[in-house]
């Protein structure tokens, strides 16, 4: 039997005894092993690797609260069975899920999950297939978490969504003896029509900002020209100096044509 305390990982609690008939079978198995030594030594001694643990069942019941390993351990050939559990980190891809966001946009999202088994006994006794169950739970958790987000949050806050998914999966898989180490959102695929609409919106926004910047530049230039005209009007010789500076600039560029500006006063005399 096994019990789970609130907020704690569920652990299998072995029964206090096997009963009279159970101990009788164990005794018969021990006598059989003793009588057939050393042939049965190869059936009784088992080995698990450093990253593995063995959960032993004696007459269908877990013999100890702690799994065996790594290294050698002893089992009775007639009454004991064992299950090997791999403690290494396992990663798997979440298949692309068609999800409707909170602002009614359909997107396709996939991801990757990294998890490992912390309690071998719970992973064997509390769930039939820990790996498959974790995969299915990751798919439903991805749908549930992303269904509460709008498109802007989905595109900009991937780290927060990954952290939220990790917490939800970790709480759900804790009774199975599984620790979810990391969850990552791999890709968010938008419909082609939505991609074109977003591209057009971004281009229009850039053009609007460019026009605003150009208009601000024209306004600043007109103010500067106004201030310059007021200064030049106060000193007529300043306009002649500006003419000379312009001619110097034109001559430095090695142009074949040079334009000499004439004062308006001279033209007015000819017109008269």
């Amino acid at each position: 039997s096994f019990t789970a305390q609130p907020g704690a990982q569920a652990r299998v609690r072995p029964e206090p005894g096997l009963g009279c008939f159970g101990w009788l079978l164990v005794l018969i198995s021990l006598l059989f092993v003793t009588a057939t030594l050393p042939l049965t030594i190869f059936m009784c001694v088992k080995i698990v690797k450093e990253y593995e643990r063995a959960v032993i069942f004696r007459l269908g019941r877990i013999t100890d609260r702690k799994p065996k390993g790594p290294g050698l351990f002893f089992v009775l050939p007639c009454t004991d069975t064992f299950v090997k559990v791999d403690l290494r980190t396992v990663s798997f891809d979440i298949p692309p899920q068609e999800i409707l966001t909170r602002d009614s946009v359909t997107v396709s999202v996939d991801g990757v999950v990294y998890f490992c088994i912390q309690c071998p006994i719970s992973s064997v006794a509390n769930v039939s297939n820990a790996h498959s169950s974790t995969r299915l739970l990751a798919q439903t958790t991805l749908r549930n978490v992303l269904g509460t987000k709008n498109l802007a949050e989905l595109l900009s806050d991937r780290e927060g969504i990954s952290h939220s998914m990790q917490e939800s999966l970790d709480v759900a898989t804790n009774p199975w003896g599984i620790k979810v180490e990391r969850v990552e959102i791999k890709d968010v695929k938008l419909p082609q029509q939505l991609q074109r609409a977003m591209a057009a919106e971004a281009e229009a926004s850039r053009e609007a900002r460019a026009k605003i910047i150009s208009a601000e530049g024209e306004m600043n230039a007109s103010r500067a020209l106004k201030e310059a005209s007021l200064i030049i009007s106060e000193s007529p010789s300043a306009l002649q100096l500006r003419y000379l500076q312009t001619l110097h600039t034109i001559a430095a560029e090695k142009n074949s044509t040079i334009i000499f500006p004439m004062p308006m006063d001279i033209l007015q005399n000819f017109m008269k």
Side-chain angles (χ1 to χ4, degrees), residues 131-168:
H131 293 264
S132 177
S133 300
T134 304
R135 287 182 172 88
L136 296 176
L137 184 61
Q139 297 179 22
T140 57
T141 303
L142 179 65
R143 289 177 173 272
N144 294 336
V145 172
L146 296 184
T148 61
K149 307 291 183 180
N150 54 37
L151 183 60
E153 293 174 345
L154 180 59
L155 297 176
S156 62
D157 191 20
R158 292 192 182 186
E159 184 177 354
I161 294 174
S162 300
H163 185 67
S164 177
M165 282 190 58
Q166 179 183 350
E167 290 182 348
S168 300

Side-chain angles (χ1 to χ4, degrees), residues 197-259:
M198 293 179 65
E201 181 182 0
E203 184 177 359
S205 178
R206 288 193 297 268
E207 290 179 355
R209 288 196 299 268
K211 291 180 179 179
I212 291 174
I213 294 173
S214 177
E216 291 178 351
E218 293 291 339
M219 182 177 63
N220 294 332
S222 62
R223 289 177 180 175
L225 290 174
K226 178 182 178 181
E227 294 176 359
S229 63
L230 293 176
I231 295 174
I232 292 175
S233 63
E234 295 176 357
S235 177
S237 61
L239 183 60
Q240 299 296 329
L241 293 176
R242 183 61 180 169
Y243 287 161
L244 294 176
Q245 184 180 4
T246 304
L247 291 175
H248 177 73
T249 303
I250 295 174
E253 296 177 358
K254 298 181 180 180
N255 292 328
S256 59
T257 303
I258 298 177
I259 300 175

Side-chain angles (χ1 to χ4, degrees), residues 25 131 189 196 225:
L25 292 177
H131 293 264
K189 296 181 180 179
R196 290 192 294 267
L225 290 174

Side-chain angles (χ1 to χ4, degrees), residues 42-94:
F42 300 102
M43 301 173 59
C44 297
V45 177
K46 303 296 180 180
I47 301 175
V48 291
K49 299 178 182 179
E50 180 68 29
Y51 55 84
E52 293 178 335
R53 297 295 183 270
V55 180
I56 301 177
F57 292 88
R58 178 164 294 166
L59 297 178
R61 296 179 179 179
I62 295 178
T63 58
D64 195 357
R65 294 187 181 183
K66 294 183 179 180
K68 301 296 182 182
L72 297 172
F73 63 96
F74 180 82
V75 295
L76 295 176
C78 300
T79 59
D80 293 355
T81 59
F82 69 95
V83 178
K84 287 185 180 181
V85 179
D86 196 332
L87 302 183
R88 293 177 294 182
T89 299
V90 179
S91 63
F92 64 90
D93 293 328
I94 302 177

